[in-house]
Amino acid sequence: MRTTVAIIGAGPAGLFLSHLLHLHGVDSVVLERRDRDYCERRQRAGVVEHGVAEALRESGLGRRMDREGFRHDGIELRFDGRGHRIDFPDLTGRHVMIWAQTEIVKDLIARRLADGGQILFEAEATAVEGVESERPRVRFASPEGDEDVLECDYVVACDGFHGIGRTSLPEEVVSTYDKVYPFAWLGILADVPPSCDELIYARHERGFALHSMRSETVSRLYLQVPAETDTAAWSDDRIWSELAARFELADGAWKLGTGPITDKSITPMRSFVTEPMRHGRLFLAGDAAHIVPPTGAKGLNLAMRDVMLLAEGLRRRYAEGDTAGLDAYSDTALRRVWRAEHFSYWMTSLMHTDPAATPFDNRMQRSYLEHIAACRPAAAQLAENYTGLPEV
Ligand code: FAD
Ligand code: DHB
């Protein structure tokens, strides 16, 4: 098989890249090791930055998001039994969309297939070869189990943290930066209308909690739990009572609605960056290159931004014969990546209770939260990063 751009992974990064390349008249083939149903059901992120929502609209994928998603103009920070609202348009002129990653993936797959795009499901890439030559190749196992080869001009690895793309870069050219946190998130989906109009990020002595949503009738909630937690240790009753305790307001003026839990999963928390994000004709994008802890909702957005940059670089390469965009990709992407790494690390450190924290550390967190509540520039800094910095 031969194509112009071989894309490994049909997550949001790989699919959006394939879609953008199609709009620019550049051919691609997407290899995905899972089946379509699995890709469309995997529960993950829910917040889309202002600029990424715009990019979805501009590429013809905004209609369902604008009809069924929610525009959110703020979030609530809840701590010491009080709530404080961060007003995004007032502080930044921007907003975010609540629109699930699963829905973005569903729309992208449907659109690629309607446009005649090639997504090979149940086709696992096993090796990337010849990236220092002009004819790189991806070896993959076809759905029938045979070994096949995809030849191309460029390979883009959008194959997530556990893919083969990152490990295909020669060790001597790569640096990695890593931080593992001593806690995880237990995430649930529940058939109950959200108990809030905007997301609530709660800091509590018992640990962090987040109230998000998927629709008028489905809530998405997260609890900080110790690393290595098994969902079996968390009965539905235990989850609801722990959430209620962490969200409680001192005046008792708020009540958490409960309902049947339809999905439970654990997300480990880590920060991770690979530098550079390119070697020869192999590019890394999304979780293949970097991981952020989910506080601040940057993972999906970073993945989408990476491929927006790459698609423009590839467009220039084929429309104008100019490789400047591709040559600048790694440095340009990494500037945004490190900003998001810092923001996610900072939000995580501010809102979670570290088992090793001292009473002094706890006071530091509370003091900073009070500062955000009292001081407009401090709140603006949070809002700028959360809604997505246009200039980075
Ligand atoms: P992925 O979505 O991981 O897609 C990679 C794709 O590559 C997968 O479909 C995989 O099957 C495929 N693949 C892997 N190896 C191969 C191979 N060898 N051959 C072929 N295909 C391969 N972010 C937030 O902002 N908020 C959240 O609440 C949140 N929750 C998360 C929960 C979990 C469990 C995880 C893992 C991530 C979460 N994230 C969250 C992060 C966010 O979902 C990711 O940043 C986003 O999915 C990145 O998209 P991607 O396309 O780069 O990678
Ligand atoms: C969601 C996930 C996040 O990590 C976050 O910060 C906000 C919302 C969500 O899944 O809805």
Side-chain angles (χ1 to χ4, degrees):
M1 283 179 73
R2 171 145 190 95
T3 187
T4 307
V5 181
I7 300 173
I8 311 175
L15 292 166
F16 195 38
L17 177 61
S18 181
H19 173 61
L20 292 174
L21 289 178
H22 171 72
L23 298 181
H24 297 322
V26 179
D27 281 340
S28 66
V29 171
V30 180
L31 301 173
E32 166 57 50
R33 74 170 163 195
R34 302 286 194 165
D35 63 25
R36 177 175 177 178
D37 190 54
Y38 183 92
C39 293
E40 292 185 343
R41 279 172 194 270
R42 198 169 24 196
Q43 285 304 322
R44 287 184 171 177
V47 178
V48 181
E49 283 177 1
H50 191 111
V52 174
E54 282 293 299
L56 283 169
R57 289 184 191 106
E58 280 165 19
S59 75
L61 286 161
R63 210 168 313 139
R64 216 161 63 83
M65 173 180 74
D66 286 329
R67 202 174 57 226
E68 297 172 32
F70 305 115
R71 173 190 155 133
H72 277 198
D73 284 343
I75 54 170
E76 181 183 325
L77 295 181
R78 200 172 274 198
F79 57 98
D80 291 342
R82 287 174 290 132
H84 176 78
R85 181 165 187 264
I86 307 287
D87 185 321
F88 295 149
D90 177 43
L91 293 162
T92 68
R94 301 192 293 276
H95 59 265
V96 296
M97 294 298 297
I98 306 302
W99 182 235
Q101 181 169 329
T102 42
E103 304 306 317
I104 295 175
V105 165
K106 276 185 217 162
D107 282 355
L108 278 166
I109 291 176
R111 181 63 186 270
R112 280 311 292 129
L113 297 179
D115 287 342
Q118 267 191 291
I119 309 170
L120 305 186
F121 289 103
E122 297 177 82
E124 177 164 3
T126 52
V128 180
E129 297 171 353
V131 299
E132 289 167 11
S133 76
E134 294 196 345
R135 284 276 174 273
R137 295 170 301 279
V138 182
R139 290 192 185 278
F140 67 98
S142 73
E144 295 75 36
D146 303 325
E147 191 186 86
D148 231 321
V149 178
L150 177 59
E151 294 180 350
C152 55
D153 291 356
Y154 294 97
V155 180
V156 184
C158 301
D159 51 354
F161 189 62
H162 302 288
I164 62 155
R166 192 177 58 254
T167 52
S168 303
L169 267 69
E171 256 176 48
E172 60 277 15
V173 307
V174 174
S175 303
T176 58
Y177 303 85
D178 202 4
K179 178 176 170 61
V180 176
Y181 300 81
F183 37 75
W185 279 13
L186 168 64
I188 62 161
L189 265 186
D191 286 334
V192 57
S195 304
C196 48
D197 297 326
E198 292 177 339
L199 271 54
I200 305 172
Y201 287 78
R203 180 201 176 274
H204 193 278
E205 306 300 323
R206 302 176 67 94
F208 170 75
L210 169 60
H211 193 324
S212 181
M213 58 200 68
R214 288 292 177 267
S215 69
E216 309 277 359
T217 55
V218 176
S219 296
R220 175 84 166 143
L221 296 115
Y222 298 95
L223 273 177
Q224 176 188 345
V225 292
E228 316 295 334
T229 293
D230 186 341
T231 52
W234 285 84
S235 67
D236 294 9
D237 284 349
R238 183 176 177 206
I239 290 172
W240 286 120
S241 71
E242 190 62 33
L243 284 165
R246 294 188 194 183
F247 285 121
E248 193 176 26
L249 286 177
D251 61 8
W254 188 84
K255 195 169 169 333
L256 178 66
T258 64
I261 294 177
T262 56
D263 189 89
K264 268 185 216 177
S265 63
I266 300 282
T267 303
M269 307 274 278
R270 79 184 308 155
S271 302
F272 181 90
V273 180
T274 309
E275 290 182 344
M277 288 169 60
R278 172 202 189 162
H279 179 68
R281 288 184 173 234
L282 169 63
F283 293 84
L284 305 181
D287 279 16
H290 41 72
I291 297 287
V292 289
T295 333
K298 288 289 154 232
L300 166 66
N301 291 295
L302 274 183
M304 301 293 270
R305 296 270 189 184
D306 283 353
V307 298
M308 285 156 63
L309 211 55
L310 256 185
E312 174 54 21
L314 286 161
R315 184 202 64 75
R316 248 172 102 179
R317 157 75 177 79
Y318 286 99
E320 298 159 24
D322 175 0
T323 61
L326 291 180
D327 295 338
Y329 168 71
S330 179
D331 287 347
T332 310
L334 280 164
R335 265 197 298 281
R336 175 178 291 279
V337 167
W338 278 114
R339 177 87 301 278
E341 288 289 344
H342 176 264
F343 175 65
S344 307
Y345 157 85
W346 174 79
M347 275 283 275
T348 301
S349 311
L350 183 67
M351 302 302 295
H352 291 69
T353 44
D354 188 323
T358 63
F360 177 84
D361 296 327
N362 289 330
R363 288 290 193 201
M364 292 293 98
Q365 282 181 317
R366 288 169 59 194
S367 169
Y368 206 90
L369 283 163
E370 279 167 19
H371 178 54
I372 293 170
C375 173
R376 186 179 166 90
Q381 199 177 30
L382 192 160
E384 291 281 355
N385 281 278
Y386 193 95
T387 55
L389 292 160
E391 67 278 13
V392 182

